[in-house]
Every structure is written in C-alpha cells, then in structure tokens.
Amino acid sequence: MITNLKIIRAEGLNPHRNQAIERYLLDTCKQGEMILYLWANDKTVFIGKNQNAYTECRITELSEDGGFVARRFTGGGAVYHDKGNLNFTFIAHREDYNIKNQFAVMTGAMKVLGFNAELTGRNDVVIDGKKFSGNAFYKSEGACLHHGTILINSNYQSIAKYLNVSRVKLNAKGVKSVVSRVGNLSDYRTDINSEEVAKALISALQRRYPQAKCEFMKESDLPQDKLQELTERFADQAYILGDDIHYNAAFEHRYEWGVADVRLEFNGNIIEKAKIYSDTLDTEAVELKEKLLTGLDITRSVDPRIKDIIETIGAEK
C-alpha cells in the first residue's frame, strides 16, 4: 500500500547525471513509497538497452552539434530528448507497483490539461493517433520502474536529423518517417509548457493516492558521491556504444513484440557469436536468446531452431 509519495525534479539537462539520479532512486526505494521523478535532457538520443547505437542514430552529427547519446537500462526504442520534452519516472516497490495506476496518473494529467490521451500498442500513448509518449519498464530485485517521455514542444527537425528509424519498423506501422507518427502537445495547445505538465502530473498522482503523505525532494538531498559514481558509469562510451560485432550473416524482421536485427558470426558452420539488437521491452529474453543461438550448426538446413529462438523473444515473461 502506498503511504508516502516522493517527488523530485532534476535540476540539470545532462542525460548521464539524470540517469544516475533515476538509478539511485530505484535502488533505494522502500516498501510503501511511490516516487515520481521528473527530468529533461537536452539534445540527446536515448537508446534502449539492446539497441545498436550506430544504427539507431547519427552519432557524428549529434556529437558535432554538442549532443549526447545515452543508453537506458530499460528496453524499447530510441527516442530524441530536448528541452521541449519532459520525462517522467514512476518507481515503487514490487508489492506496490501498478502499471495501470501509473498510466492512469499520466492520462489523468493529460485530461486535466485538455488532451484526450490513450494507450496503444505495446507502450505508446497517443492523441489523435499521434504518439507523444513512449514508455518502458524495469524490474529490479526490490523495486520496479516505469518511465516515459512527454513531447511538449520538441524540435521535429532535430528528431528527423539525429534518429535513424528502421525501415522495417516504419513499414510495419504504415508511416513514411518517424516525424509523421509523433506529435507535440503544443500542436493542440500552443500555450502549453513543461512546468504546467509537471504540475498536472504531480496533482494527478496526489489524487490517485489521496491518503499518502507527500514529500518534495531536491538533488542535494541525495548522496553526491554515489550520484557521481553512477554518472560516470552511464557516461562510459563502452557502455553507450556497445559491441558492434563483425558478422558473416545478418537479417532484420519485425515481430509483434518489436524489431530483431540479428548478427551472426561463424566458425566454420557453427555460430560462434550471436548478437540481437532489438527494441523489445523484454530485455532479459534478448540475452537468453543470444546464448541459445551460440553453438548452433547452420548446416542443418539453416537450423530451424534459429527461427524459433528469435520469434519467441517477446513471448517469455
């Protein structure tokens, strides 16, 4: 049962610092707490845990323009953040975590602001079919996390400039570009701003848990040495860019659970190394499937187990 609400707003726009705060809050969340963390990054492509940074964004252009690439520890696809985007994170202990309640807070806040928002597909929230919020989820040993974006007045030109979205994914959604499927809240209300959205989210959370005590926190309330340690971890280029392995074969396909970009490296007829880049929300399944693919013999009529292994990534929970 939620008895205490903790609300914290990030003070800066550095994605690695903001990730550090989020991770610390997740690792220290106590039973009975619901944490709402509000944050924003500037000029950042934020990729999912299992995605390939080199194929998801134009790294050189982003770097030359003073931007960042950051990697989440949650699944899902790449998104673009700037000062016209507000991010929210709900964190609760496993016993208190309730995705329906959290989405109700988010859509309830949108309703108060005058928007008719609805949840569609795996993790998108839309207005009139236009996605303004993508969401992702994570479960640690003690607590769970649900975070998402809210496009308020984000720069469409920058989204198109820095993001590379899989043609397979766009075709599956029946759209020509990533920009054609997203929308800003300012498209519907020109006077909307981040501060108003933040206040609406806080108010909606308090209405959802009216009996809970509400505590407002600052970054300075958190241990700065621990935040610095986590910031350095999330800023590490090896972590962000990952292992873009050499491969002998590659194929990409869109499944119900997301896109799989599969890379295989052989030693003779045996798969010596397998890498699956994906926007699936089920991050653990990707690692498991990579292990199952490793060691298969492709001379067995292109081993049928390859297809079975990959297709079921999102089926195991």
Side-chain angles (χ1 to χ4, degrees):
M1 180 180 177
I2 301 296
T3 58
N4 189 32
L5 303 178
K6 288 187 175 182
I7 298 167
I8 181 169
R9 184 92 178 258
E11 297 170 7
L13 299 169
N14 183 289
H16 311 308
R17 167 79 174 188
N18 290 340
Q19 281 181 277
I21 296 170
E22 182 182 59
R23 184 74 216 199
Y24 177 79
L25 294 171
L26 174 68
D27 291 343
T28 58
C29 181
K30 299 176 182 177
Q31 193 168 354
E33 289 182 344
M34 166 63 75
I35 299 172
L36 173 60
Y37 171 47
L38 299 173
W39 47 292
N41 300 321
D42 191 21
K43 200 174 288 185
T44 299
V45 171
F46 216 10
I47 63 174
K49 178 181 178 181
N50 296 116
Q51 290 193 295
N52 185 339
Y54 297 97
T55 59
E56 293 299 327
C57 72
R58 300 181 180 95
I59 297 174
T60 301
E61 289 91 332
L62 185 60
S63 178
E64 289 176 348
D65 291 343
F68 300 89
V69 180
R71 183 181 296 276
R72 303 191 302 273
F73 53 84
T74 59
V79 292
Y80 177 73
H81 291 175
D82 60 17
K83 287 182 281 190
N85 175 78
L86 178 68
N87 304 301
F88 63 88
T89 304
F90 295 107
I91 300 171
H93 205 266
R94 278 180 172 264
E95 288 82 356
D96 304 311
Y97 183 71
N98 188 312
I99 291 179
K100 289 184 178 180
N101 277 350
Q102 290 146 204
F103 271 120
V105 169
M106 195 267 202
T107 56
M110 294 302 106
K111 185 174 183 180
V112 168
L113 292 169
F115 306 110
N116 183 24
E118 58 181 345
L119 178 65
T120 66
R122 301 179 303 156
N123 61 334
D124 294 344
V125 185
V126 304
I127 297 173
D128 296 336
K130 293 276 190 175
K131 173 183 173 180
F132 73 94
S133 176
N135 294 253
F137 317 93
Y138 184 83
K139 291 184 179 181
S140 68
E141 186 174 338
C144 300
L145 173 150
H146 164 193
H147 60 191
T149 60
I150 299 178
L151 294 178
I152 300 170
N153 190 23
S154 197
N155 189 315
Y156 287 136
Q157 291 182 336
S158 294
I159 293 174
K161 181 178 181 180
Y162 300 125
L163 280 182
N164 282 325
V165 180
S166 165
R167 183 56 53 184
V168 169
K169 185 171 185 176
L170 292 177
N171 288 342
K173 293 181 177 291
V175 295
K176 294 182 179 180
S177 68
V178 63
V179 172
S180 68
R181 65 180 292 259
V182 300
N184 279 311
L185 296 185
S186 60
D187 295 339
Y188 306 92
R189 259 194 59 192
T190 57
D191 62 331
I192 194 76
N193 59 61
S194 293
E195 193 60 35
E196 186 179 3
V197 175
K199 288 180 179 179
L201 286 167
I202 294 169
S203 179
L205 182 67
Q206 292 173 316
R207 290 195 302 273
R208 176 62 55 170
Y209 301 101
Q211 305 304 318
K213 177 184 176 182
C214 189
E215 175 186 359
F216 289 85
M217 302 172 63
K218 297 180 180 179
E219 280 190 32
S220 57
D221 296 328
L222 308 179
Q224 300 304 302
D225 56 343
K226 183 61 177 177
L227 291 185
Q228 182 59 32
E229 176 188 330
L230 289 168
T231 299
E232 291 174 1
R233 189 174 93 189
F234 286 120
D236 182 74
Q237 290 301 294
Y239 168 75
I240 294 169
L241 299 180
D243 179 16
D244 191 25
I245 68 168
H246 297 291
Y247 55 91
N248 306 109
F251 59 92
E252 185 178 23
H253 189 72
R254 169 82 181 179
Y255 301 95
E256 287 186 6
W257 45 262
V259 172
D261 175 5
V262 183
R263 315 289 180 93
L264 303 175
E265 184 176 357
F266 303 118
N267 182 359
N269 295 319
I270 305 299
I271 297 175
E272 186 170 70
K273 189 171 184 179
K275 184 69 179 177
I276 302 173
Y277 297 110
S278 179
D279 64 353
T280 179
L281 296 172
D282 189 355
T283 57
E284 293 180 0
V286 170
E287 297 172 4
L288 172 63
K289 301 308 183 181
E290 288 173 345
K291 292 178 181 178
L292 291 175
L293 286 170
T294 304
L296 293 186
D297 186 343
I298 63 164
T299 58
R300 299 176 52 178
S301 300
V302 186
D303 200 317
R305 288 176 295 174
I306 294 176
K307 182 172 180 288
D308 293 339
I309 287 170
I310 296 167
E311 282 187 347
T312 57
I313 284 178
E316 299 179 6
K317 296 292 182 183

